[in-house]
Amino acid sequence: MSIEQDLRERAGNACEFCGATDALQTVDVGPDPDGTAATAVLACPACAGQVPGTAGLDPNHLRCLNESAWSQVPAVQVAAYRLLANMPDESWARDLLDMLYLDDETLSWAKAGLGSDAGDEAGVVHKDTHGAILNAGDTVTLIKDLKVKGAGFTAKRGTAVRNIGLVADNPAQIEGRVNDQRIVILTEFVKKA
């Protein structure tokens, strides 16, 4: 059986992201595809160009990730994670990325394919209070109680903040979700988990 046949059987002859059924194609999910269906996805032309990052991202089309990000197929999870991580300006994408849970192996695979982000290219490196380098998607722990301005609550010391986002132009700030609100946190008040 060929990879495409395996993928068509796994996906029910539909795009694994948006469900379209026309002009489906096989897309490798790198960085090291092994030539099997385990490291590939079946995608329509609109999704196929966006998965490897060769086409500009269309946030409206990619709202389909609200469903497909919960797939049980690791290659689909990895591709969805990367697409969401590459749309930091879309609040719905950040929120969905905050909710996603990937096992350690799948998360490592997803992060490996992200490459260097814009922050790294600009020489911006985010570090926690102990000097550990922070990456988008990491989990950090608050090291002191922080009053959240405008939200009316205090983020307590010891609170875990999962799937952080990096503020691209400021190495002293990260974003994370605490008490169901997305907030900006100074890196000096967190330690990498």
Side-chain angles (χ1 to χ4, degrees):
M1 202 182 265
S2 73
I3 294 173
E4 185 171 348
Q5 289 171 323
D6 290 342
L7 290 173
R8 284 182 178 276
E9 185 176 311
R10 177 178 86 193
N13 284 320
C15 175
E16 293 186 89
F17 301 100
C18 69
T21 57
D22 294 329
L24 299 174
Q25 51 193 292
T26 300
V27 180
D28 288 327
V29 179
D32 299 314
D34 62 8
T36 68
T39 59
V41 293
L42 190 65
C44 68
C47 292
Q50 297 180 80
V51 169
T54 56
L57 296 181
D58 178 1
N60 288 328
H61 180 80
L62 291 176
R63 286 188 180 268
C64 62
L65 296 175
N66 282 310
E67 298 292 326
S68 57
W70 303 107
S71 170
Q72 296 300 307
V73 178
V76 176
Q77 293 173 343
V78 166
Y81 180 94
R82 292 177 186 165
L83 287 166
L84 292 167
N86 285 322
M87 293 187 288
D89 295 334
E90 297 292 327
S91 61
W92 68 267
R94 287 193 317 262
D95 291 345
L96 182 56
L97 192 60
D98 286 345
M99 290 187 284
L100 280 183
Y101 171 79
L102 303 180
D103 63 58
D104 292 340
E105 184 178 334
T106 306
L107 184 59
S108 295
W109 178 18
K111 287 182 178 180
L114 283 174
S116 62
D117 58 48
D120 290 342
E121 291 171 11
V124 177
V125 178
H126 294 75
K127 294 184 179 181
D128 73 359
T129 192
H130 300 297
I133 295 176
L134 299 172
N135 297 302
D138 283 347
T139 298
V140 297
T141 304
L142 300 180
I143 62 167
K144 71 177 268 184
D145 290 352
L146 301 173
K147 283 191 175 185
V148 181
K149 295 178 182 174
F153 70 90
T154 299
K156 297 292 185 186
R157 186 178 100 194
T159 300
V161 182
R162 292 174 175 72
N163 288 325
I164 63 167
L166 305 178
V167 176
D169 58 350
N170 190 337
Q173 295 179 342
I174 59 171
E175 292 182 341
R177 185 167 291 283
V178 177
N179 290 353
D180 293 328
Q181 291 196 20
R182 189 140 184 107
I183 63 171
V184 174
I185 306 167
L186 295 178
T187 56
E188 65 186 282
F189 300 129
V190 300
K191 68 177 179 178
K192 192 171 183 175

